[in-house]
Each structure stands twice: as structure tokens, then as C-alpha cells.
Amino acid sequence: MKYTEEHEWLRIDGDVVVVGITEHAAEQLGDVVFVELPEIEAVVAKGDEVCVIESVKAASDILAPVDGEIVEVNEALSDNPGLVNEDPQGDAWFFKMKLDDLRVLDDFMTEDEYKDFLG
Amino acid sequence: MSEHSTELKQTPLHALHLELGAKMVPFAGYSMPVQYPMGVMAEHLHTRAHAGLFDVSHMGQVILTPKHDMAALEAGLEALMPVAVSGLAEGRQRYGMFTNAQGGILDDLMFANRGDHLFMVVNAACKAEDIAHMKAHLADVAQVQPVTDRALLALQGPQAETALAALVPDVRAMRFMDVLSVDTLFGALWISRSGYTGEDGFEISVPATTVVDFARLLLDRPEVAAIGLGARDSLRLEAGLCLYGHDIDTGTSPVQAGLVWGIQKSRRTGGAREGGFPGADCILAELADGPAQLRVGLHPQTRAPMREGTEIWDASEGGQKIGCVTSGGFGPSLGAPIAMGYVDSGHASTGTPLWGEVRGKRLPVTVCDLPFRPSTYKR
């Protein structure tokens, strides 16, 4: 598992990367009440806003961590946004991306590095 | 509001909030608990099902003591508000608002007749201006004394009476908008049966020196939980209540805001003490002819919340911008997004289909009645 400074986690699953938000991020957001997922087959660039998460408090975005194509989204989150709080690093993944080269993930933080980053 | 002060003020309950694990945020110049570990959603639902204890000590408490007699003080206040002050019985509280010459709202407030003086509670962000306003205009008739040695708690929810009556049995006999002063172990408590959640409940002014002990005793009860500003906001939104600085301000009149119920007949055209308040021309004309814009409830038809600032349009494409959301979010008791805002009067009838622009997309929203959830005041 790799981590971004935007509090996303990235998990390699075969030739795709599964993207979600960390427990820390979910806790900061508070109760999630709405999730807007990206379109499947959307080609996105690193830094693009691909998802919207709304908690009882505010709206925030999930940014594409790398360039790639969205190949699958977690429809369960549309019906049950609260899953983000219940299981942020498991069932509440947001989308899967196909990358040209999985080696770009080497640049992201390991779990230990992310823990240090949180301080 | 100016933000020249960098130092946040603390309420007498600050250390208790930290002990309870609250997340503190700056609000109206104070460090205030936005939520506790329970979280906004659960805190909201707890208040609706049981009882929630809120620290609202940031709000302004003011005593108005007449220099001559109560009648002169009441008349003085009536010159600042489109509200009947005279005629409010001793032991009763009423909603009021200061208006400006254009008919806009300077602040909304509660005032109570406590026999030989009036007690007022005003919004935190406006309290300095309110006090200056009253000192300037009521100098001949009243001593305006800010109360600085007291905290203010709100205890709200269906079990609020049970919880408070365990400490102060006299509150059982109180009805909505009654006020009572009771001498207790904690000193004098100034209690009103009111609040800002749509629930039955109380606001309790407690000496700053004893408020932590008093709050702990309430929190020791299983039905009472500490509730933060986050849930306070979603509770008052479901109750259709205005938040000053968002749903009402100097640019909105009481008529546009749907606060006509707060303007008693005696102050309206043809009433015994008609007009005579700032902005009376505009406000009485709006009462007669109807306002150009009206505050309405809005039910988003998708799951996407429509937050403050969302533009409201009369068509899914093109069309006209006819309004704006002033408060919006998720209503935990309704399990759906809810909002309120101002729309042109021609689009204000219940059931009117409109569109809110969220992140560049027009999403359907329907005008609905307020409140979203009926109040449960003990009348």
C-alpha cells in the first residue's frame, strides 16, 4: 500500500491501482453523506478532481494521484456514503485506475513514511 | 465582521470541552467545540432522541435596567425593533430583531421580562455592535449592562426536561418561552424554556464559577451528551431557523426572511403602536405589498447537498438566476440533503421545481415548507 500527501491510499491489484482515502482523512471529514464518482473510461491527469466527497460539514475533492484511465468505480458508495467512515481502507475504495507504468507508484510514501508525515 | 483580534476568547467550559475530546474551531472570536468524538451525525440524532448539552456562552447576555420605569424602557426598545416589547408579561420571553433604516436586520435576539428589568440574549458575532447600539439609543431610558460573569448552556431534546428537573424540579411547570430565576447550589440560574433546535428544551445562564460542576452533573446523566456547533447547525436548519450572517443580515428584511410572525399586530399598519422602528417604511410596505424575494425551504432532489452560495435557477438550462442558498447541508433526521435560501417571490410557492447549480451542473430542487421537521416545543 502506498500513500499520497493528499491522504489517499493506493493499492496495486494486478495491472490496476485501487484508490481510497486514509482513515485519518475519513476521520477529518466526519460523517460522509454524499459521494460523486468519476465516469468509467475517463482519462485523467494527476491532480484532476475526480471525486467529490461531502460530509455533514463540507465538500472536498479526491484528486487523481497519477495519470491514467478510470476503469472501475465503487457504486456501493453512491448508495451508502457512510461506508467511507466505516471501512475507509477496505470496502470504501473509490475507483480503480489503469496506468501506463506502475513504477510511478514508487514515488509515493510507504505506510511508515505516511505515519511520519502525519506526525 | 472585522477580524482584527487574533487571540481567540474561551468560554468558562473550555477545559471541559478539551477533556471531552472536542474538536475546537474559531467561531465569532471564540474557540468553540464543533464536535465531540461522537461526531456531528450521532450528536444530532442523540439530541433528537434524548438530550444534548450545548455551550453557547459565546452569545451575548445583556441586562437592561430602566432608569425611570419599565414603560420608558419598553418604548425605547420598540423604537429599535418592529416587535411588541410592551405587553410582554413578566416571566415571558419573546423573539426580536434590531432593524436598520433600510429595513435590514442588524441582529436577531431573545428578550425576557424579568419584572424590574429585561434580559436579552444576542448573537456572539453581533454582541459588541448590539451593546453599542443600545447604549447609544437607550441612554435616557436604560442602563445597558453586558453580563460577563456567566456562562450560557442550552439543554435540548425530548429528555431535556427530565434531565434538568432532576437538578431543578421547578422547570417542569415551565412552558415554551417562560423564564424563571432559581437559587440553587450553583448560584442563581436564569432559565428559559427555549432553544434553537426545534426541540423542547432550555437555555440556562449559570455563574461562570459553577458552570463546569453544573454541566458535569448534567453530562453524568445517561440521556445527556455534549453536542458541538456542527450538530447545532444541522438541528437549527432542520427546524427552519435562521442563522444570523447567513440566512438573515443587513440586506434581508424580516418580511423577506419570513419572520412576519415576529412582528406583532400592534406594530403593523393600523396597530396601536404602528411603525416607529428603523426601516418601518420599507417593512410596512413589504407587509402590504409582499416582498420581492422570500426565504423558502429547498429539497434537493438528488443526494448532492446544496451548500450556502449555491445559485438557484428557474430552468435546467439557460433561464434566469432567481435565488441563492443561504444555509444548506444534510439533515440527519431526514436522511437527505436540505437547504434554505431566498428566491424571487414568483417562484416561492411550495412545490415549485427549480434547479441549483452544484459544481457547474444544474440539479433539481423543489421549494418546500419550513420547518423540515415539526418543532416539539412544550406550549
Side-chain angles (χ1 to χ4, degrees), chain A residues 31 52 54-55 57 81, chain B residues 23 35 41 303 307 330 359:
Chain A
D31 304 296
V52 177
E54 299 233 17
S55 72
K57 283 180 266 175
Chain B
K23 187 186 285 183
Q35 65 168 86
M41 189 97 80
R303 292 180 69 111
R307 307 270 176 188
F330 187 80
R359 293 178 285 273

Side-chain angles (χ1 to χ4, degrees), chain B residues 43-56 93 110 153-164 176 191-204 218 223-227 231-232 235-236 239 241 375-377:
Chain B
E43 289 173 26
H44 176 117
L45 297 171
H46 182 95
T47 305
R48 292 266 186 254
H50 307 288
L53 184 67
F54 305 73
D55 179 12
V56 289
Q93 176 177 271
M110 291 286 187
L153 299 175
L155 183 66
Q156 301 280 296
Q159 291 175 298
E161 182 188 278
T162 311
L164 187 57
F176 183 58
I191 303 172
S192 73
R193 192 149 199 167
S194 63
Y196 221 59
T197 59
E199 294 294 326
D200 178 29
F202 304 88
E203 288 193 353
I204 312 146
L218 286 172
E223 68 273 23
V224 180
I227 310 296
R232 185 170 165 82
L235 288 158
R236 68 94 200 163
L241 297 168
S375 58
T376 53
Y377 306 135

Side-chain angles (χ1 to χ4, degrees), chain B residues 117-133:
Chain B
H117 67 275
L118 298 178
F119 176 60
M120 187 178 276
V121 176
V122 302
N123 282 304
C126 303
K127 67 182 172 188
E129 289 88 342
D130 289 344
I131 289 162
H133 185 62

Side-chain angles (χ1 to χ4, degrees), chain B residues 85-103:
Chain B
V85 182
S86 156
L88 177 66
E90 183 175 347
R92 293 288 294 165
Q93 176 177 271
R94 186 168 281 174
Y95 178 75
M97 65 218 98
F98 293 129
T99 49
N100 66 18
Q102 293 73 44

Side-chain angles (χ1 to χ4, degrees), chain B residues 265-285:
Chain B
K265 282 215 173 75
S266 58
R267 305 305 311 277
R268 300 188 193 181
T269 305
R273 300 187 308 286
E274 151 184 353
F277 50 84
D281 292 352
C282 319
I283 289 172
L284 295 179

Side-chain angles (χ1 to χ4, degrees), chain B residues 182-326:
Chain B
V182 196
D183 286 315
T184 70
L185 283 174
F186 308 95
L189 303 182
W190 304 346
I191 303 172
S192 73
R193 192 149 199 167
S194 63
Y196 221 59
T197 59
E199 294 294 326
D200 178 29
F202 304 88
E203 288 193 353
I204 312 146
S205 172
V206 189
T209 48
T210 59
V211 69
V212 172
D213 292 339
F214 182 74
R216 279 187 200 282
L217 270 186
L218 286 172
L219 290 168
D220 279 347
R221 302 186 55 86
E223 68 273 23
V224 180
I227 310 296
L229 290 180
R232 185 170 165 82
D233 193 50
S234 53
L235 288 158
R236 68 94 200 163
L237 176 57
E238 282 183 350
L241 297 168
C242 293
L243 179 60
Y244 191 82
H246 299 261
D247 308 299
I248 48 175
D249 58 28
T250 53
T252 59
S253 76
V255 186
Q256 293 163 7
L259 301 174
V260 172
W261 55 269
I263 306 176
Q264 286 74 20
K265 282 215 173 75
S266 58
R267 305 305 311 277
R268 300 188 193 181
T269 305
R273 300 187 308 286
E274 151 184 353
F277 50 84
D281 292 352
C282 319
I283 289 172
L284 295 179
E286 274 188 335
L287 271 173
D289 306 331
Q293 287 220 318
L294 260 177
R295 183 172 65 96
V296 294
L298 296 165
H299 253 314
Q301 298 297 297
T302 72
R303 292 180 69 111
M306 294 186 183
R307 307 270 176 188
E308 180 176 359
T310 301
E311 293 182 350
I312 302 296
W313 294 74
D314 64 357
S316 60
E317 280 175 66
Q320 302 285 320
K321 187 196 157 196
I322 51 95
C324 193
V325 170
T326 52

